Amino acid sequence: MKRFEGMTDEELALLYVGGDNKAFDELLNRTQSKLFTYIMFVVRDHDIADDIFQETFVKVITKLQHGQYTDSGKFQFWLTRIAHNVIMDWYRVQKNEHIIEPTEDNDLTNLRGASVLDTYRETEIVNEQVLLDVKKLMNALPAPQREVVYMRFYQQLSFKEIAELTGVSINTSLGRMRYALINLRRMAKAHNIELVLQD
């Protein structure tokens, strides 16, 4: 909406708190794609991701209406933190915090395409295969490790931000990344996969 052009997410949130429902509609439009991608990456099931997404926004609305949001300049960060907590609650209910079987319709290929790779077709083919291999291997990581890899490499968050979002210490975040990399290397070696991009 033109009326909201140039406004920050934080300003929209505060407008909604003040009673402007259209400001929330705009906020939802701006944030839903990025948030759903994050949730889908972690849970890897479209129906579950839909449920978690909806529950996240119910919590967001409730927290906004109860004055539990203050403009810190980090609305997206606050939103992701709520989604993370909803995901962790879901895992607790499922009593399944171990490796999750990947679904056929979610192999992470929608996160990064070949457009960022070299223009030489042979190099593109090799690099595409490397990225596909990495994504397949990442699907086999435990959810906490997969989540930290996603936040670090796809969302470009610092380990301090990851620690705040996931409610753990920086050392735990670093540890999860370390184990994720060890596991990725181990799986790559076990499957004779070369994880080197071509120049």
Side-chain angles (χ1 to χ4, degrees), residues 171-190:
N171 283 345
T172 300
S173 293
L174 288 166
R176 286 176 179 173
M177 177 62 78
R178 180 174 168 266
Y179 285 114
L181 295 174
I182 289 168
N183 285 332
L184 286 170
R185 286 188 193 112
R186 181 181 48 77
M187 289 185 287
K189 188 174 181 183

Side-chain angles (χ1 to χ4, degrees), residues 146-164:
R146 194 169 59 246
E147 181 179 40
V148 78
V149 169
Y150 178 81
M151 288 178 167
R152 185 74 183 107
F153 293 109
Y154 290 97
Q155 292 187 318
Q156 313 276 309
L157 297 178
S158 69
F159 282 105
K160 182 177 184 225
E161 291 171 322
I162 292 168
E164 286 177 32

Side-chain angles (χ1 to χ4, degrees), residues 36-49 91 100-112 132 134-140 146 150 154:
F36 188 82
T37 300
Y38 161 69
I39 295 168
M40 186 68 177
F41 186 89
V42 178
V43 301
R44 293 186 318 202
D45 179 289
H46 200 279
D47 292 337
I48 294 167
Y91 276 126
I100 301 160
E101 292 300 317
T103 56
E104 289 179 2
D105 60 342
N106 184 16
D107 64 356
L108 308 181
T109 53
N110 60 333
L111 293 178
R112 190 165 294 227
L132 283 174
V134 168
K135 290 170 186 174
K136 284 178 187 169
L137 293 177
M138 282 176 63
N139 277 334
R146 194 169 59 246
Y150 178 81
Y154 290 97

Side-chain angles (χ1 to χ4, degrees), residues 13 53 61 188 198:
F53 178 83
I61 290 167
Q198 304 293 309

Side-chain angles (χ1 to χ4, degrees), residues 19-30:
D20 189 337
N21 289 333
K22 293 221 179 285
F24 184 81
D25 294 342
E26 174 67 16
L27 196 57
L28 179 61
N29 285 337
R30 285 186 189 182

Side-chain angles (χ1 to χ4, degrees), residues 71-151:
D71 182 2
S72 61
K74 293 184 174 181
F75 181 80
Q76 187 72 44
F77 190 80
W78 182 72
L79 187 64
T80 305
R81 173 78 178 154
I82 293 170
H84 167 79
N85 290 338
V86 174
I87 291 167
M88 291 304 111
D89 288 345
W90 180 82
Y91 276 126
R92 280 185 208 102
V93 169
Q94 300 303 311
K95 295 180 184 171
N96 184 10
E97 295 188 17
H98 302 293
I99 292 177
I100 301 160
E101 292 300 317
T103 56
E104 289 179 2
D105 60 342
N106 184 16
D107 64 356
L108 308 181
T109 53
N110 60 333
L111 293 178
R112 190 165 294 227
S115 61
V116 296
L117 305 175
D118 277 343
T119 54
Y120 300 104
R121 190 63 195 138
E122 184 178 326
T123 302
E124 282 183 351
I125 291 168
V126 171
N127 288 345
E128 282 174 9
Q129 188 57 52
V130 168
L131 291 175
L132 283 174
D133 289 341
V134 168
K135 290 170 186 174
K136 284 178 187 169
L137 293 177
M138 282 176 63
N139 277 334
L141 291 173
Q145 291 176 25
R146 194 169 59 246
E147 181 179 40
V148 78
V149 169
Y150 178 81
M151 288 178 167

